[in-house]
Structures are given as C-alpha cells and as structure tokens.
Amino acid sequence: MALINRLTRLFRADLHAVLDRIEEPELLLRQSLRDMQEALNQGRLRQAELSENLAQIDTRHAEVCAGIEAIAGELDLCFAEDKEDLARGLLRRRLQDQHIAAGLAERRARLALEHGKLTTTLADQQRRLEAMQHKAALFQSQPPSAEPEAARREVSEEEVELALLRERRARRSS
C-alpha cells in the first residue's frame, strides 16, 4: 500500500512538473490582467447605469412632488368653493402621488447604497489591477533566466572527478 501511495505521489509530481512547463507564466499573467481589466470595465458600466437610474429617479421624484404641490393649491380652491366631490378626487390623486414618491425614495435609497458599495469595490479592484500591472512590468523587465534545460543537464562522472581534483589542489595550497 505504501508503494502505491509513493508511486501515485511521484506520478502527480511529474504531471505537475509537465503542466508547469507547458504553461507560460507571461501568457497567464497577461490573461489575468485582461480578465481583471474586463471585470473593472463591467463594474464601471454597471456604475454608470446606476448613476443614470438615480438621475431618472430624481427627475421623476421632482415631477411627482411638483404634482403634489399643485394638488395642494387646487385643494385650497375646492375647499374655498365648497366642492368636496372634486376635493375627494384630488385627495385620491395626492395619496397616489405620495405613494409613488415614497416608492421612488425607497428605490433611490437602495440604488444609492448599491452605487456606494460598487464604487468602493471598483476602487479596490483598480488598486489591485494597478499593483498587478506594476508587478507584471517588473516581471517583464527582468532578464530572462537561464534555460531550464541547461540547469537540468546531467553532470558526468569525469566532470565530478575533475572538480574534486581542483578542490583538493586548492585546499592543499591554502
């Protein structure tokens, strides 16, 4: 059982090493940066959409409030002329407009909260993207390292023996 576990571990390690060689870190880094930029752009589009919705709600709310004020003047006239039937219709419209205004205020509060959270999230994403771009620039400006194949070259027995002789000579003379 231990032999099977060891073989399995060895196979996984070799497989991971092969995958590491296949994947190119620069390509993965550039793709990650593109993905981060795309997410940031999508967030900015959503933020612009929310801002537009908030402006529309503000405009509609102002219109409804102006209508409520107009009804108040008309109600004064109805009560002055003792026209209760007409006043009932105006009161119904005013109550409907007040409900609409309350609904708009509630919707505006929800959207404003979402807009605030999104703004905070986007600022954080922007900072992370800039940090990753900085790291990528540093990574790309580094000189290419020695070829991995050269680092894994087998050392012959003769080379080891020659190095041993050089070390012995250097230690005797010092």
Side-chain angles (χ1 to χ4, degrees), residues 72-135:
E74 292 173 357
L75 279 172
D76 289 341
L77 180 62
C78 287
F79 285 120
E81 296 297 322
D82 203 25
K83 300 285 185 177
E84 287 187 14
D85 291 339
L86 193 56
R88 280 189 183 91
L90 290 172
L91 286 170
R92 178 173 286 115
R93 276 191 17 216
R94 185 176 77 179
L95 287 171
Q96 288 172 343
D97 285 351
Q98 287 172 341
H99 288 298
I100 290 171
L104 287 171
E106 181 181 317
R107 184 165 179 228
R108 188 193 190 297
R110 281 194 322 264
L111 288 178
L113 180 64
E114 183 180 350
H115 187 272
K117 287 179 181 178
L118 184 58
T119 300
T120 303
T121 301
L122 289 176
D124 184 47
Q125 286 178 343
Q126 180 67 40
R127 282 191 299 274
R128 284 187 286 164
L129 176 62
E130 289 170 358
M132 286 297 291
Q133 287 171 336
H134 179 69
K135 288 178 185 177

Side-chain angles (χ1 to χ4, degrees), residues 28-40 129:
L28 291 175
L29 180 61
R30 284 195 298 257
Q31 182 61 44
S32 295
L33 289 173
R34 281 192 298 269
D35 292 344
M36 289 175 78
Q37 186 66 51
E38 180 63 28
L40 189 61
L129 176 62

